[in-house]
Amino acid sequence: MKMLKSVLHILLLSCSKATGLIEKELYFRLSPIDKIRLFMHAGICGFCHRYRKHSRLLDRLMIELHHTHQHAQEPAEQDVTALKQRIIDSLEKK
Amino acid sequence: MNAAKEALKGDSNTIIQEWVQLYAESMFAWAHYKTADKALAEDLVQDSFLAALQSFDKFKQESSPKTWLFSILNHKIIDHFRKEFRNPVQNEAESGLSFFFNSDGEWYKDRRPQEWPAADTQLLDNPDFRKILEHCMHLLPGSWLAAVSLKYLEQKDGKEICKDLQITPSNFWQILHRAKLQLRACLENNWFKK
């Protein structure tokens, strides 16, 4: 049984390796062999298939969050008067 | 000549002081959001204005002062994350995978990804969800947060970021892998399961 498991992991990857490749493919190109192994693994493992969906959604959320936050004119949650004065003092020393 | 230079410097100083009044607050909010560290955010904003004074002659009138100042601030934030990335705490690199997977590399039963109902980018319209996402990001260990933030701040591809950080691609995506596993689980536990 253990033997069969290790052979399956070599052929089809373990979940730990598969999720690693799911992240890798978002940033780098996978080798053809890794692509096939990942395709087969995600085809039979519902959890990693789900992980892939979540990971891609997270990527889109982070990009969106970055854009919306940068362009929104959100005021600071605290008074920055002291900070402004500190910066002006340091500018005056220049 | 020197007198002319001094006068120009005085002018630029006055202009930058006006910009401090106008933009310091939103710059602080942005830096604080990215770093989750008040004192650090204040230093980054101050450094940005000092850098703006030094390179005032490079400011092109066609871009708005706010855009220019934010690009300086973003560079300061990126520099900070690069430093963080280069000094990871030892145990950060070793932790991560064994929390989610057993020695055969299979998901632990109670850490397997669950179905997320109604999961799409419209979630960001919900301020409560945004708060949870930001909270989960800031729970990441320093160098992991740095890796994630660099990716989304710079919008560069993996190869370029690795070149900038002088690390190997495998090192970079392995850190992102651990970060993503933790971030995903944090969102699941704090939002989707509730």
Side-chain angles (χ1 to χ4, degrees):
Chain A
M1 187 64 191
K2 195 142 185 136
M3 180 78 170
L4 179 67
K5 216 182 225 177
S6 2
V7 173
L8 277 177
H9 280 173
I10 293 168
L11 288 174
L12 299 176
L13 303 165
S14 62
C15 297
S16 155
K17 290 251 166 63
T19 52
L21 288 183
I22 287 169
E23 294 309 325
K24 187 180 179 183
E25 73 171 352
L26 287 171
Y27 315 103
F28 303 98
R29 190 174 289 187
L30 295 186
S31 70
I33 290 177
D34 280 346
K35 262 189 195 168
I36 295 169
R37 289 159 91 200
L38 183 57
F39 176 79
M40 286 164 68
H41 183 99
I44 56 168
C45 175
F47 304 117
C48 289
H49 179 73
R50 211 174 266 164
Y51 177 88
R52 193 185 215 167
K53 271 192 352 198
H54 294 173
S55 166
R56 287 178 175 171
L57 172 69
L58 265 179
D59 238 46
R60 292 203 304 276
L61 286 173
M62 310 269 269
I63 291 168
E64 192 85 1
L65 184 72
H66 170 77
H67 283 295
T68 51
H69 204 289
Q70 190 169 21
H71 296 296
Q73 308 249 339
E74 290 184 31
E77 280 171 6
Q78 62 196 72
D79 187 18
V80 290
T81 318
L83 172 64
K84 284 181 182 173
Q85 194 52 53
R86 191 179 108 187
I87 299 171
I88 286 171
D89 290 346
S90 66
L91 285 167
E92 277 171 352
K93 283 183 200 149
K94 293 284 166 182
Chain B
M1 187 65 186
N2 277 345
K5 261 189 179 173
E6 281 300 312
L8 205 63
K9 199 176 157 190
D11 281 351
S12 54
N13 206 316
T14 314
I15 292 169
I16 299 220
Q17 288 191 31
E18 282 168 17
W19 290 352
V20 171
Q21 297 298 349
L22 290 170
Y23 308 119
E25 186 169 358
S26 53
M27 287 168 74
F28 171 77
W30 174 239
H32 192 207
Y33 158 69
K34 290 311 290 182
T35 60
D37 182 332
K38 181 178 171 280
L40 172 66
E42 288 185 349
D43 288 347
L44 290 170
V45 173
Q46 180 171 352
D47 288 350
S48 301
F49 280 109
L50 292 172
L53 178 64
Q54 266 188 339
S55 54
F56 188 75
D57 50 344
K58 287 184 196 145
F59 170 61
K60 294 187 182 76
Q61 301 294 335
E62 61 253 37
S63 75
S64 77
K66 190 179 178 188
T67 307
W68 187 59
L69 289 168
F70 266 84
S71 80
I72 296 174
L73 177 61
N74 274 338
H75 277 111
K76 296 276 171 203
I77 296 172
I78 288 165
D79 280 346
H80 158 74
F81 281 135
R82 282 195 184 125
K83 276 182 214 145
E84 281 277 304
F85 196 88
R86 290 198 185 116
N87 304 308
V89 178
Q90 192 59 38
N91 61 11
E92 284 179 12
E94 288 158 11
S95 62
L97 293 186
S98 58
F99 182 75
F100 296 97
F101 304 103
N102 64 22
S103 53
D104 287 332
E106 291 164 347
W107 290 99
Y108 282 120
K109 213 172 176 179
D110 55 346
R111 309 226 155 96
R112 289 170 177 165
Q114 304 297 307
E115 200 60 61
W116 287 1
D120 58 43
T121 45
Q122 283 182 349
L123 278 168
L124 289 177
D125 296 338
N126 184 335
D128 291 336
F129 176 80
R130 286 172 69 119
K131 258 188 203 157
I132 299 276
L133 177 57
E134 288 168 11
H135 166 75
C136 288
M137 279 178 71
H138 291 132
L139 286 181
L140 296 175
S143 61
W144 300 7
L145 177 64
V148 170
S149 302
L150 276 174
K151 166 149 173 49
Y152 298 102
L153 254 178
E154 297 207 272
Q155 301 276 300
K156 284 183 178 174
D157 72 13
K159 271 188 191 159
E160 280 179 279
I161 298 177
C162 292
K163 212 172 140 193
D164 284 355
L165 292 172
Q166 297 168 328
I167 55 164
T168 62
S170 62
N171 195 342
F172 184 63
W173 69 257
Q174 279 164 11
I175 289 173
L176 285 167
H177 178 208
R178 285 157 175 77
K180 214 61 162 309
L181 279 163
Q182 187 171 312
L183 203 56
R184 199 210 64 81
C186 179
L187 271 184
E188 187 159 292
N189 292 331
N190 290 289
W191 183 263
F192 291 104
K193 268 191 193 168
K194 287 192 171 177

